[in-house]
Amino acid sequence: MIISKEFYNRSALDVAQDLLGKVLVREVDGKVLKGKIVETEAYIGAIDKACHAYNGRRTKRTEILYEDAGVSYIYFIYGLYHCFNVVTNKKDVAEAVLIRAIEPINELDYISNIRYNKKYDELTKAQSKNLTNGPSKLCLAYLLNKDLNAVKLYEKGAVYITDDNNETFEIVESKRIGIDYAEEAKDFLWRFYIKDNIYVSKK
């Protein structure tokens, strides 16, 4: 079942935790790719110096963060990689959740070929783990790019998120990664991941 718009219309901190275990779906090339979300990070513009919209900053790139909840925010970093985020909370409140890692569920040969030009059973153990255990890696594997910015994730389309997973798990809270510039915000425990999942980017 596709997750409703209302699910996202809450604090990024709540959505970041509740997205764990949900399934990211990418329809592309006649295939339906699925991956379980196993690691997230919350970003809250009002108080978070790591957020692109900190202190009310509004630019052409960040304007999407002020839109209604439940749309994608995909940006380019280092001139090389994309990062996939979910906009949360109500309109004009700039918050989002970064999807940091997913566990691939199906079409393993397809995404392995994209990442390594090999079939899944030809990958080394390290390569199989590295398929989607980071924000840019999952965007590469699932062909997520800026063409999919501002997509409504609560509607069936090129990318959306479903709640098809009933497993139970323990959630770990920790500091976010790669934001040492963010002063006090670098110490916020706003990264969440499924304990012991091998696809988590960093324990």
Side-chain angles (χ1 to χ4, degrees):
M1 180 177 69
I2 298 178
I3 295 174
S4 70
K5 181 179 179 180
E6 288 69 32
F7 172 91
Y8 303 105
N9 196 22
R10 300 177 292 144
S11 166
L13 286 170
D14 293 328
V15 177
Q17 295 174 76
D18 291 345
L19 276 172
L20 295 175
K22 303 299 189 284
V23 177
L24 178 70
V25 182
R26 173 75 167 107
E27 297 194 10
V28 62
D29 198 21
K31 299 183 180 297
V32 180
L33 313 179
K34 297 182 179 181
K36 180 175 70 177
I37 298 170
V38 300
E39 181 182 2
T40 60
E41 288 180 350
Y43 290 85
I44 297 178
I47 59 173
D48 180 10
K49 292 176 182 175
C51 181
H52 293 166
Y54 172 64
N55 202 26
R57 185 169 184 260
R58 297 182 85 136
T59 66
K60 183 177 180 181
R61 180 173 81 159
T62 65
E63 194 62 33
I64 187 64
L65 288 168
Y66 294 90
E67 292 302 319
D68 286 336
V71 297
S72 60
Y73 170 42
I74 300 179
Y75 58 85
F76 205 43
I77 57 171
Y78 311 132
L80 293 170
Y81 304 114
H82 291 94
C83 289
F84 176 80
N85 302 258
V86 178
V87 175
T88 66
N89 220 314
K90 59 189 176 183
K91 188 174 176 64
D92 292 321
V93 177
E95 298 187 11
V97 174
L98 171 67
I99 308 301
R100 276 204 62 88
I102 61 178
E103 176 183 333
I105 294 173
N106 70 339
E107 298 290 356
L108 299 181
D109 283 343
Y110 182 81
I111 64 174
S112 297
N113 189 63
I114 291 171
R115 293 279 284 116
Y116 297 110
N117 199 29
K118 297 179 181 178
K119 289 185 177 181
Y120 184 73
D121 61 8
E122 296 173 340
L123 301 182
T124 65
K125 186 175 181 180
Q127 286 175 328
S128 63
K129 181 179 177 180
N130 286 325
L131 273 174
T132 53
N133 68 338
S136 61
K137 296 174 187 178
L138 72 89
C139 284
L140 289 168
Y142 285 79
L143 301 173
L144 299 168
N145 55 48
K146 289 185 71 174
D147 291 341
L148 297 170
N149 191 44
V151 167
K152 295 176 180 177
L153 301 171
Y154 48 86
E155 295 180 356
K156 184 176 173 60
V159 59
Y160 50 95
I161 299 175
T162 66
D163 186 7
D164 299 326
N165 185 14
N166 297 316
E167 71 173 304
T168 59
F169 47 79
E170 183 177 342
I171 296 175
V172 179
E173 301 179 8
S174 68
K175 295 179 183 180
R176 293 171 296 177
I177 297 172
I179 58 164
D180 289 343
Y181 59 86
E183 299 180 6
E184 73 280 355
K186 68 182 174 58
D187 294 320
F188 295 170
L189 300 181
W190 288 3
R191 181 169 73 106
F192 308 96
Y193 62 87
I194 295 177
K195 186 178 181 180
D196 297 328
N197 188 283
I198 66 169
Y199 289 94
V200 171
S201 63
K202 183 177 180 180
K203 300 298 191 291

